[in-house]
Amino acid sequence: MCHSSHSQLSRLLEAAGEFIFRSRAEAYWAGCAAEVREELCRSAVQYRLEPFFYYYLWKVLPPERKTEFQKTGRAVLRNSLLLFHQFDSIRTLLNENSIRFIPFKGAELAREVYPDLSLRRMSDLDILIHPDDIDRAIALLRTDGWTGDEFRYDHHFAPLARKGVKVEIHFDLPGFHLKEPALFWKECRKTGCAEEYRLSPELNLLLQVVHAAGHDWHNSMKLLLDLAFLIRRGGIDWSRVEMSARRFGVLSPVPLFAVVPELFRHAPCLPEFRGKLPEGIRSDFLTLLGENCVFPQSSWTVL
């Protein structure tokens, strides 16, 4: 990936940070030269951020881009509504039968962290079930019309499907390999709905990084926006983030703030990364974002 491509990606990250953390999307856009605006629109298409740009800039986008980005946003929204219609059916079933569960990734973030459903693309639903309830949960779902193989992966079952929607039932979080589930569930927050829980903000941040690392950092732009919107929501105890990272043996998100400072420059109350970034890691990470190449996890864990 050439220097000019890195510069374009850097500008895209800077714009996203302005939109998310400073609520000055239109002012930022007005300060950009015409060629920079067009470059940002091209980048939005390249990184599948058309709904993101439409949400923040719909009043000022060029007419042809406005139409294009709105169309894409509506398609994402329709897909999300279909997924959440099925999710609400599942949550009712689990709550009525006192099954302890946690929706995570898109199943939580799209509706509870992002300001609009169209901003978070989703392909399926991910739900963590308490290990003591997992067999009963699977049986209930199959009785309710969800079908699929019975294969068990290292942290979830094979997807179940109904009416074009897929759900992955997890007994463990990807990358965590919980040896003491009881301690983990104590750190989660119970909602007011029967046995429904949510990840703490600290665990949610860790999950995003662990999941991305487990997939060789593919689709990292989605990871970065997930982190940014989680941070914008607030309520994060950064000492607990580091403590939980050590406890569960997973990666901390803090080095990312130094690798892509454009996005997080205006985020409130971020801890400062005090380590030393390996030479070339920023360039490697920008190349990863731009080309979706494999980014060796060994290069990241040295942080």
Side-chain angles (χ1 to χ4, degrees):
M1 189 176 183
C2 65
H3 176 72
S4 62
S5 297
H6 281 183
S7 297
Q8 292 173 12
L9 182 51
S10 179
R11 277 191 289 270
L12 177 64
L13 293 169
E14 178 185 77
E18 292 281 342
F19 297 0
I20 295 170
F21 294 114
R22 301 190 75 189
S23 300
R24 59 184 303 271
E26 292 180 21
Y28 179 84
W29 186 259
C32 294
E35 59 270 21
V36 174
R37 294 178 191 172
E38 179 54 31
E39 173 199 299
L40 287 170
C41 286
R42 291 195 302 270
S43 295
V45 175
Q46 179 181 351
Y47 295 99
R48 306 179 73 200
L49 297 180
E50 301 99 324
F52 179 80
F53 269 63
Y54 179 77
Y55 178 82
Y56 284 103
L57 296 170
W58 67 273
K59 292 181 181 179
V60 294
L61 283 171
E64 67 279 4
R65 292 295 191 181
K66 180 177 180 178
T67 300
E68 175 189 1
F69 291 3
Q70 181 186 50
K71 181 179 179 181
T72 303
R74 286 177 174 174
V76 175
L77 177 60
R78 285 194 297 271
N79 181 66
S80 295
L81 290 173
L82 176 65
L83 285 162
F84 277 111
H85 177 71
Q86 294 299 323
F87 171 73
D88 287 338
S89 173
I90 293 173
R91 85 190 302 182
T92 297
L93 179 70
L94 298 179
N95 277 318
E96 287 178 346
N97 289 276
S98 299
I99 301 289
R100 290 162 285 184
F101 72 100
I102 302 171
F104 65 98
K105 290 167 47 181
E108 180 207 6
L109 300 177
R111 202 151 59 173
E112 299 184 21
V113 175
Y114 281 76
D116 190 88
L117 278 181
S118 68
L119 301 184
R120 180 50 159 83
R121 295 177 185 267
M122 300 168 57
S123 58
D124 59 11
L125 300 168
D126 292 274
I127 301 176
L128 178 68
I129 304 290
H130 192 285
D132 293 343
D133 298 336
I134 192 75
D135 291 337
R136 194 158 56 95
I138 294 290
L140 283 167
L141 287 167
R142 290 190 180 280
T143 300
D144 201 40
W146 291 87
T147 61
D149 295 336
E150 298 183 5
F151 189 80
R152 181 182 177 116
Y153 295 92
D154 66 339
H155 59 275
H156 66 84
F157 289 93
L160 299 176
R162 186 176 75 174
K163 297 181 179 179
V165 170
K166 291 184 178 180
V167 58
E168 282 190 358
I169 298 300
H170 292 248
F171 47 86
D172 195 356
L173 284 180
F176 274 69
H177 305 300
L178 303 173
K179 296 179 180 179
E180 298 181 77
L183 293 178
F184 168 83
W185 280 80
K186 282 184 178 179
E187 292 196 22
C188 298
R189 300 178 175 182
K190 191 171 184 180
T191 69
C193 302
E195 297 298 331
E196 187 172 347
Y197 290 74
R198 292 291 183 275
L199 296 174
S200 69
E202 296 80 18
L203 289 175
N204 226 334
L205 287 172
L206 294 176
L207 172 64
Q208 308 316 315
V209 177
V210 170
H211 184 253
H215 288 276
D216 293 320
W217 301 94
H218 290 303
N219 207 7
S220 295
M221 186 61 76
K222 182 188 288 187
L223 158 73
L224 292 175
L225 292 187
D226 285 351
L227 289 175
F229 279 108
L230 279 165
I231 291 167
R232 191 188 76 155
R233 183 172 64 167
I236 299 167
D237 182 335
W238 290 103
S239 63
R240 289 186 65 85
V241 171
E242 296 304 316
M243 180 181 67
S244 295
R246 291 192 294 271
R247 174 183 296 176
F248 295 110
V250 298
L251 303 174
S252 166
V254 174
L256 266 176
F257 309 149
V259 173
V260 284
E262 304 94 328
L263 177 61
F264 298 103
R265 183 172 294 124
H266 301 293
C269 305
L270 288 188
E272 181 182 353
F273 175 60
R274 300 185 181 278
K276 183 178 180 181
L277 291 175
E279 184 178 354
I281 195 169
R282 171 175 161 78
S283 177
D284 287 346
F285 194 77
L286 291 178
T287 299
L288 164 73
L289 288 177
E291 300 181 3
N292 201 32
C293 62
V294 174
F295 190 63
Q297 188 171 348
S298 59
S299 299
W300 187 255
T301 54
V302 295
L303 302 179

